[in-house]
Amino acid sequence: MNIVAFVVAFAIFVFGFWLFGLAFSVTAMMGPIFIAGILCVSIAMAIPFHLLRD
C-alpha cells in the first residue's frame, strides 16, 4: 500500500507542476489552471502526511 500511495502522490505532484507550466503558456483560464496546480501539489503532499504516517 505504501508504494501505491507513493506512486499516486508522485504522479499528482508531477501533474501539478505540469499545470503550473501550462498556466503560463495558455491565453485563457490562466488563474484556474494555476490554482489547480497548487491544489494538486497540496493533495500530493497531503497523501503521504496522512496515509503514510505510521
Side-chain angles (χ1 to χ4, degrees):
M1 180 65 181
N2 291 344
I3 294 173
V4 173
F6 173 76
V7 170
V8 169
F10 188 73
I12 295 171
F13 188 77
V14 171
F15 181 66
F17 274 101
W18 180 75
L19 286 174
F20 287 152
L22 180 67
F24 291 103
S25 64
V26 297
T27 57
M29 303 290 287
M30 296 171 86
I33 293 173
F34 191 80
I35 291 170
I38 291 172
L39 291 175
C40 284
V41 171
S42 299
I43 290 169
M45 298 304 280
I47 289 172
F49 291 159
H50 293 286
L51 292 180
L52 305 178
R53 185 182 333 193
D54 296 330

